[in-house]
């Protein structure tokens, strides 16, 4: 995953839905990456996968909203989606956002495990401030975290993808006791949360990047 250059507005499209055959969905997205990605100007990469209970989620990153629209308007994109959408049980949902924060400390494209969290917060601005604090200390405390993409939606809702070296190292990292300063930040983040977040554990993440 490329860290956005200074001033580059990253636009993310979050796609999700229920599927019954993860293998067929993966084949469809592999085909998109092979055949359609070369013509998707401004596409920066995608993270996707299916949880063990059949919940599909994808984050497609573009350099701008215009780039995403250009991609959506291509006839070949229409034809591809007409086929791919048949693999969903019911309608897939799309959420677009240009409220995007990318943090890269390692190589997310080599992540062995991705956890996507969706929830709602009472103060998105404060949450953003907290996420930007003490990045070096966080990187030292959790070397298993190689990157994150946080996407803000309307009404304080958010989607956040965390990229880990492996699931085993992520679980081990979760059990570690953070230093007092980082613990205080974690506790404040939890206080900003409204209700329980939903987690999507992508044990075999599909990570696509422009060639």
């Amino acid at each position: 995953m490329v860290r956005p250059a200074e001033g580059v507005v990253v636009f993310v499209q979050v796609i999700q839905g229920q599927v019954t055959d993860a293998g067929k969905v993966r084949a469809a997205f592999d085909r998109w990456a092979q055949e359609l990605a070369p013509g998707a100007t401004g596409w920066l990469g995608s993270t996707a996968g299916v949880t063990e209970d059949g919940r599909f989620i994808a984050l497609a990153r573009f350099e701008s909203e215009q780039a995403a629209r250009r991609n959506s308007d291509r006839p070949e994109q229409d034809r591809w989606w007409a086929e791919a959408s048949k693999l969903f049980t019911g309608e897939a949902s799309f959420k677009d956002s240009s409220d995007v924060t990318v943090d890269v400390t390692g190589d997310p494209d080599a992540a062995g495990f991705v956890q996507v969290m969706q929830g709602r917060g009472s103060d998105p601005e404060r949450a953003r401030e907290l996420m930007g604090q003490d990045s070096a200390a966080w990187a030292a405390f959790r070397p298993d975290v190689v990157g994150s993409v946080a996407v803000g939606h309307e009404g304080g809702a958010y989607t956040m993808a965390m990229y880990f070296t492996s699931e085993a190292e992520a679980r081990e990292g979760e059990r570690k006791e953070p230093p007092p300063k980082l613990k205080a930040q974690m506790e404040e983040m939890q206080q900003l949360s409204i209700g329980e977040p939903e987690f999507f554990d992508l044990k075999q993440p599909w990570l696509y990047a422009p060639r």
Side-chain angles (χ1 to χ4, degrees), residues 1-2 104-112 145-147 163-165 207:
M1 184 194 306
V2 181
V104 179
T105 54
D107 181 8
D109 290 327
V145 179
V146 290
Y163 298 77
F164 299 90
T165 48
L207 303 168

Side-chain angles (χ1 to χ4, degrees), residues 16 37 52 67 79 82 104 121 145 171 199 205:
Q16 56 195 113
E52 288 178 336
R79 289 192 294 271
V104 179
V145 179
R171 300 304 179 199
F199 292 91

Side-chain angles (χ1 to χ4, degrees), residues 30-52:
D30 284 352
R31 188 170 74 77
W32 186 91
Q34 200 167 10
E35 297 175 11
L36 279 77
T41 309
W43 171 68
L44 300 175
S46 297
T47 297
V50 177
T51 62
E52 288 178 336

Side-chain angles (χ1 to χ4, degrees), residues 51-63:
T51 62
E52 288 178 336
D53 59 355
R55 287 172 298 144
F56 168 87
I57 190 160
L59 284 79
R61 304 184 306 279
F62 293 87
E63 65 184 22

Side-chain angles (χ1 to χ4, degrees), residues 1-2 4 8-14 44 59-65 95-103 128 131 148-153 159-161:
M1 184 194 306
V2 181
V8 172
V9 177
V10 178
F11 182 81
V12 169
Q13 189 169 64
V14 180
L44 300 175
L59 284 79
R61 304 184 306 279
F62 293 87
E63 65 184 22
S64 66
E65 182 174 357
K95 281 189 285 202
D96 295 347
S97 178
S98 53
D99 175 6
V100 179
T101 306
V102 178
D103 185 31
R128 251 194 302 276
M131 284 192 296
S148 66
V149 178
V151 185
H153 307 297
T159 299
M160 184 166 188

Side-chain angles (χ1 to χ4, degrees), residues 6-205:
E6 203 65 41
V8 172
V9 177
V10 178
F11 182 81
V12 169
Q13 189 169 64
V14 180
I15 308 148
Q16 56 195 113
Q18 196 75 23
V19 301
T20 53
D21 191 327
K24 284 183 179 174
V25 181
R26 170 136 205 196
F29 277 77
D30 284 352
R31 188 170 74 77
W32 186 91
Q34 200 167 10
E35 297 175 11
L36 279 77
T41 309
W43 171 68
L44 300 175
S46 297
T47 297
V50 177
T51 62
E52 288 178 336
D53 59 355
R55 287 172 298 144
F56 168 87
I57 190 160
L59 284 79
R61 304 184 306 279
F62 293 87
E63 65 184 22
S64 66
E65 182 174 357
Q66 291 75 19
R69 295 279 166 263
R70 278 197 308 269
N71 176 61
S72 296
D73 291 343
R74 292 189 297 160
E76 60 269 38
Q77 176 72 20
D78 262 353
R79 289 192 294 271
W80 174 81
W81 180 247
E83 287 304 309
S85 63
K86 294 173 186 172
L87 300 171
F88 288 79
T89 57
E91 290 285 314
S93 70
F94 291 80
K95 281 189 285 202
D96 295 347
S97 178
S98 53
D99 175 6
V100 179
T101 306
V102 178
D103 185 31
V104 179
T105 54
D107 181 8
D109 290 327
F113 174 63
V114 175
Q115 187 174 69
V116 182
M117 181 168 56
Q118 286 189 319
R120 191 176 297 278
S122 58
D123 189 342
E125 282 299 321
R126 179 58 183 154
R128 251 194 302 276
E129 282 174 19
L130 287 166
M131 284 192 296
Q133 288 176 6
D134 301 304
S135 52
W138 277 108
F141 172 61
R142 290 293 301 272
D144 55 301
V145 179
V146 290
S148 66
V149 178
V151 185
H153 307 297
E154 286 180 17
Y158 65 85
T159 299
M160 184 166 188
M162 299 285 293
Y163 298 77
F164 299 90
T165 48
S166 71
E167 185 181 10
E169 286 168 341
R171 300 304 179 199
E172 190 181 326
E174 282 173 1
R175 292 191 288 271
K176 285 163 64 178
E177 180 68 21
K181 190 176 183 185
L182 301 187
K183 187 175 184 180
Q185 289 175 13
M186 281 175 68
E187 287 171 351
E188 188 178 346
M189 282 291 279
Q190 286 164 359
Q191 286 163 8
L192 295 175
S193 186
I194 300 170
E196 286 297 312
E198 182 180 7
F199 292 91
F200 298 75
D201 287 354
L202 307 182
K203 299 184 180 218
Q204 294 180 307

